[in-house]
Amino acid sequence: MTKTMASFRHILTRFSRISPIAGHRSDRVLCRSYVKSLYEDAFTIDSAWTPVTADVSKSINGSIFTNQNVEFGSKRFYRGRVKGVIFDWGGTVVDCGVCAPILTFVELFKNEGVDINEDEARTISGSNRKANIAQILDREAVRQRWVTATGREPTSDDVQRMYDNFIPQVLSSLTKYSNVIEGVAEVVKQLKKQPFNLRIGSTTGYPKEVLKVLLNASSSQGFTPDASVCLGEVPEANPSPFMLWLCAIRLGLQPIESIVKVDDSVNGVAEGLLAGTWTVAIAKTSSYVGLNEHQLDELRAPELRARLQRAYDALSGSGAHYIIDTISDLPAVIDDINRRLTNGEKP
């Protein structure tokens, strides 16, 4: 308090020596009176000062929080580059058209005496295969065929039995459907080098034993991720973001906006959006087109355009930041994301 008073006395003394019009004592008196008033007001405020308490933090009308001691806010944002890409497997890295699980579902139902077609098998959503079987059975046409073939409604025991048969059956088909999609190995090799220098991860709805087969097969074809996560390691399948988050931890990547999720499904895109990453959807090799590479090569242009449009329509509604035909377009997308990050944008 003494230091404050001394400071104001110094100001008062300086003002007493100043006159707007030389020789006019009244002006000096006016200045002294004005500064004296300031001094007294300041002294009164100073002497009335009390320590800050929690009472200064309050809600306005019960909804907006404010604190009178914090007049300005701040907003942090990441302006670095993309650090890593996390890929889905089927339809993105291997198994063009996502044929392995779909044809396995068709075979599983056939073993139960119920015929379903590929389109019915592709109506599934999410990567939980047990839930996928239940989704197919929920279709009215399939349920009626089941009742006709078995004489009863499908039960949870039926779903469990079919799921138990799914894993060995899909494992037997992976030799045929574990080919790395054209362009994947070359693009990933490019992304691992300068100027990208990215870490590469992968997630899958397949169980651990299937992932092991996929990793062995893809490694010999030029695709070896730095970290991988399967459904059995997290509480829920996509669109929940747990697999993506766990993969980011294993890759040692942060912040989350420095990661790009690449997927060929609506649920895979939703996983990336919920996790907080950038999302890139791949159309041509997706389940929405539903054709392997040999079939794509033989398809007539009008039919290919129609199938691609169906894929774009589905993926456009997913909220993906980018949709591309094939993985070959990914480096250009990464460049654009780096530009947007530099400008302060977030996913």
Side-chain angles (χ1 to χ4, degrees), residues 178-283:
S178 58
N179 291 333
V180 172
I181 294 171
E182 182 180 356
V184 169
E186 293 78 10
V187 167
V188 169
K189 183 178 180 180
Q190 179 183 354
L191 294 179
K192 284 187 171 185
K193 294 181 178 180
Q194 293 291 349
F196 297 104
N197 197 29
L198 302 184
R199 300 275 287 166
I200 303 297
S202 72
T203 60
T204 181
Y206 283 127
K208 190 172 294 185
E209 54 267 42
V210 177
L211 175 60
K212 184 177 180 180
V213 173
L214 289 174
L215 286 169
N216 288 336
S218 65
S219 179
S220 63
Q221 301 174 66
F223 177 76
T224 306
D226 300 305
S228 295
V229 175
C230 66
L231 177 57
E233 300 179 271
V234 296
E236 293 180 1
N238 65 25
S240 295
F242 302 121
M243 283 196 290
L244 205 161
W245 283 339
L246 180 56
C247 193
I249 291 171
R250 288 180 176 173
L251 290 169
L253 296 180
Q254 58 82 28
I256 196 68
E257 54 262 40
S258 70
I259 300 172
V260 178
K261 175 66 191 301
V262 181
D263 208 295
D264 67 297
S265 71
V266 168
N267 276 277
V269 170
E271 175 190 18
L273 294 174
L274 286 170
T277 69
W278 297 92
T279 54
V280 180
I282 295 183

Side-chain angles (χ1 to χ4, degrees), residues 55-68 70:
D55 292 336
V56 300
S57 301
K58 60 183 179 180
S59 291
I60 299 175
N61 297 326
S63 60
I64 302 175
F65 179 83
T66 183
N67 186 328
Q68 70 183 37
V70 183

